[in-house]
Amino acid sequence: MKKYFIVLASVIFAGLNAQNIHTGYYSNAFILQSASNPAAFPEANTVVGFPGLSNLNYGLQWPFSLNEAFQKGLDDSLRINLPSIISNMGKKDVLHLDARHQLFHLGFKFGENKSVFAYFGDEVVTDVSLRVSSDLVDYLSRGNAHFLNRQMNFDDERLEVSVYHSFYVGTAVEVTEKLNLGLRLKALTGIANVHTEKLHLGFYTDLTSVPVYETTLQADMLIQTSGMGMISDSLDFNPTLNSGFAFDIGATYKPIKELEISFALNDIGRIDWAEENNEHHTTDGQVEYVIDGLTQSSSGAEDLEAQMEEISDSLSTTFELIKSTGAYSTKLHSNLFLGAEYELSEKHRVSLLFHSREGFVGRFNIYSLGYQFQIAESFQLLTSYQNFSGISNIGAGFVWSPGPLQFHLIFDNMLVADVFDAKNLSVQMGLSFHFGKE
């Protein structure tokens, strides 16, 4: 288990991102447009991403705010507010830490009318999801005495971590003056993975047993991991053996000059994690342990401590996970974008965007209403209103394009005055060069 926390911590500090491109989807920042829709077509003939800085997109989503998780005591000390946490956790609430760090990007137009834009690039992608049910938190915080003669089953807990390298090649084609089509192919190399294939916990405390409070514990789990050789010298690690493939498709269409409609479906694919890099942790089927209860003797606390130690040792032996190995595969979490933009005037545009992201508890949908203001030829202001599963956000940012240089900086959560009230945070920034603008 210690290894899982090491991987999770390293992911958090390495960068948190996803396809959180909402405010910038219809911006002048071509790098953002292309990342979310492979049919995006640049004004420039050549686009060069600044190595390591062309697209940094950091984001975080969690089910409750820090103010909901903690409360002040009478002495001004912070304390965990378990009732508040439980009440604010829903069945589908998940902690998301998703990342996409572009290492380089190069593209250029060719063809008689410069109607084809071809490009290639490289990025490191991180996708982390953690779900712990409110029922389990409630059970552990209140204790089994509140759930007597009830079989308590917990099957919703999951941890998914996927870190992989993606080398991509793509093309966007101006089929007609109104229609653009795009395709992007990705060769994937898996770096690290934690996959919860199965996790079941069961508890039953019998009020009528002799001795009383006989408690039966059950567990059935299989956790698959890959790439732990990075942090353990005792394990082999060869990331080139973890291979995969994915693709993105997209289209833009202008029925009239002022209106553009767009569609993109990204991250359709999977990664095969090679047996040589893998380590599985399993109970090898369901295991069970019965705690008969504690008995009181004349020895007092000394005897009670001995009984507790015996139970602890027996639990460790019974529920000790067996290590094994084997190949397995995981799917990428797909992203669907549907958008429309209308040009009110030369300087003012409005847009609508629907983004649906696949997760292990279903799809998460984001609705966004955007406004783009072209203050000057080289400077664009952006703002948007977003709704994510009932949580409202205001996004804001800018795109600065002096000469061949283009820099964008966008925050997708400006509504929260106090960061301790926030339930999601997202920032995108990048630096690129655009040569031969039309």
Side-chain angles (χ1 to χ4, degrees):
M1 186 62 70
K2 181 180 178 182
K3 295 178 183 176
Y4 306 152
F5 288 116
I6 293 174
V7 171
L8 184 59
S10 65
V11 166
I12 293 173
F13 290 105
L16 313 176
N17 165 335
Q19 293 218 0
N20 296 316
I21 302 169
H22 303 128
T23 305
Y25 184 87
Y26 276 114
S27 70
N28 288 344
F30 173 73
I31 289 290
L32 286 181
Q33 294 178 25
S34 181
S36 52
N37 192 335
F41 207 84
E43 294 182 3
N45 291 329
T46 303
V47 178
V48 182
F50 193 92
L53 294 176
S54 57
N55 188 15
L56 303 176
N57 190 338
Y58 302 91
L60 177 62
Q61 171 79 33
W62 59 94
F64 45 80
S65 69
L66 294 177
N67 279 334
E68 291 170 341
F70 297 93
Q71 63 179 354
K72 275 189 176 182
L74 296 177
D75 56 354
D76 286 338
S77 62
L78 285 179
R79 300 174 184 176
I80 296 177
N81 189 347
L82 286 174
S84 176
I85 291 176
I86 294 167
S87 65
N88 283 284
M89 291 176 66
K91 288 287 186 181
K92 292 187 176 183
D93 281 339
V94 177
L95 170 68
H96 287 297
L97 310 173
D98 307 316
R100 197 174 299 259
H101 186 169
Q102 194 173 80
L103 302 179
F104 75 87
H105 181 93
L106 174 62
F108 51 89
K109 291 180 183 177
F110 65 93
E112 184 177 350
N113 299 315
K114 301 288 186 180
S115 60
V116 178
F117 179 71
Y119 59 92
F120 64 95
D122 195 39
E123 61 184 2
V124 175
V125 181
T126 300
D127 190 354
V128 180
S129 297
L130 172 65
R131 178 176 64 181
V132 178
S133 68
S134 58
D135 291 339
L136 179 59
V137 177
D138 189 32
Y139 181 87
L140 295 177
S141 62
R142 296 173 65 189
N144 61 340
H146 291 272
F147 303 91
L148 299 176
N149 292 340
R150 292 170 58 186
Q151 178 63 44
M152 304 299 296
N153 293 318
F154 304 101
D155 303 291
D156 295 330
E157 285 58 42
R158 288 186 70 177
L159 170 63
E160 303 288 336
V161 178
S162 187
V163 184
Y164 62 91
H165 176 270
S166 174
F167 177 80
Y168 59 85
V169 293
T171 182
V173 181
E174 284 188 331
V175 180
T176 68
E177 290 184 358
K178 295 184 175 183
L179 177 65
N180 287 5
L181 298 178
L183 172 67
R184 182 163 44 230
L185 305 178
K186 305 175 181 179
L188 311 178
T189 302
I191 299 173
N193 183 257
V194 177
H195 175 63
T196 307
E197 178 66 23
K198 183 194 302 182
L199 201 160
H200 165 75
L201 299 173
F203 302 90
Y204 182 82
T205 300
D206 190 351
L207 178 61
T208 63
S209 63
V210 179
V212 294
Y213 303 133
E214 177 184 272
T215 301
T216 302
L217 285 71
Q218 301 168 337
D220 185 4
M221 64 181 67
L222 171 59
I223 300 175
Q224 300 167 316
T225 70
S226 184
M228 297 303 163
M230 291 189 299
I231 55 177
S232 174
D233 296 334
S234 63
L235 297 173
D236 295 329
F237 176 61
N238 184 354
T240 60
L241 299 177
N242 300 329
S243 61
F245 173 79
F247 67 90
D248 306 337
I249 57 174
T252 64
Y253 179 67
K254 285 191 171 185
I256 57 176
K257 180 182 177 181
E258 297 82 7
L259 177 64
E260 178 182 288
I261 301 171
S262 67
F263 155 83
L265 182 59
N266 301 339
D267 299 321
I268 307 300
R270 72 175 197 176
I271 300 176
D272 298 320
W273 304 92
E275 180 177 357
E276 292 83 349
N277 293 324
N278 300 347
E279 188 173 70
H280 299 176
H281 304 267
T282 177
T283 56
D284 197 20
Q286 182 165 296
V287 294
E288 184 174 291
Y289 181 77
V290 178
I291 302 176
D292 294 327
L294 301 174
T295 57
Q296 189 172 3
S297 67
S298 57
S299 301
E302 184 177 335
D303 180 63
L304 184 62
E305 183 178 347
Q307 291 182 65
M308 293 293 292
E309 185 175 346
E310 180 182 353
I311 291 173
S312 177
D313 292 342
S314 298
L315 281 171
S316 298
T317 301
T318 303
F319 293 100
E320 183 177 7
L321 297 180
I322 301 169
K323 294 181 181 180
S324 63
T325 188
Y328 66 98
S329 300
T330 57
K331 287 176 55 182
L332 303 189
H333 290 163
S334 64
N335 288 273
L336 170 66
F337 291 93
L338 298 173
E341 181 188 51
Y342 189 80
E343 184 178 343
L344 298 173
S345 67
E346 207 171 282
K347 291 188 175 183
H348 304 278
R349 292 180 292 167
V350 292
S351 59
L352 291 170
L353 179 66
F354 169 74
H355 175 202
S356 179
R357 184 181 185 276
E358 183 180 14
F360 56 67
V361 292
R363 301 197 71 91
F364 298 90
N365 299 326
I366 301 99
Y367 303 88
S368 178
L369 173 64
Y371 168 65
Q372 298 82 40
F373 179 28
Q374 196 71 39
I375 294 181
E377 185 177 351
S378 63
F379 196 83
Q380 183 187 48
L381 281 180
L382 309 166
T383 186
S384 71
Y385 166 80
Q386 303 154 31
N387 187 282
F388 179 92
S389 299
I391 301 173
S392 295
N393 278 329
I394 296 294
F398 67 88
V399 181
W400 183 43
S401 309
L405 176 68
Q406 186 171 91
F407 174 75
H408 66 267
L409 177 62
I410 299 170
F411 294 90
D412 269 334
N413 189 354
M414 303 293 290
L415 187 61
V416 178
D418 184 353
V419 69
F420 293 101
D421 286 325
K423 293 187 178 181
N424 51 52
L425 296 171
S426 179
V427 58
Q428 300 109 45
M429 64 176 293
L431 184 65
S432 57
F433 298 93
H434 301 249
F435 303 101
K437 291 184 180 180
E438 297 176 355

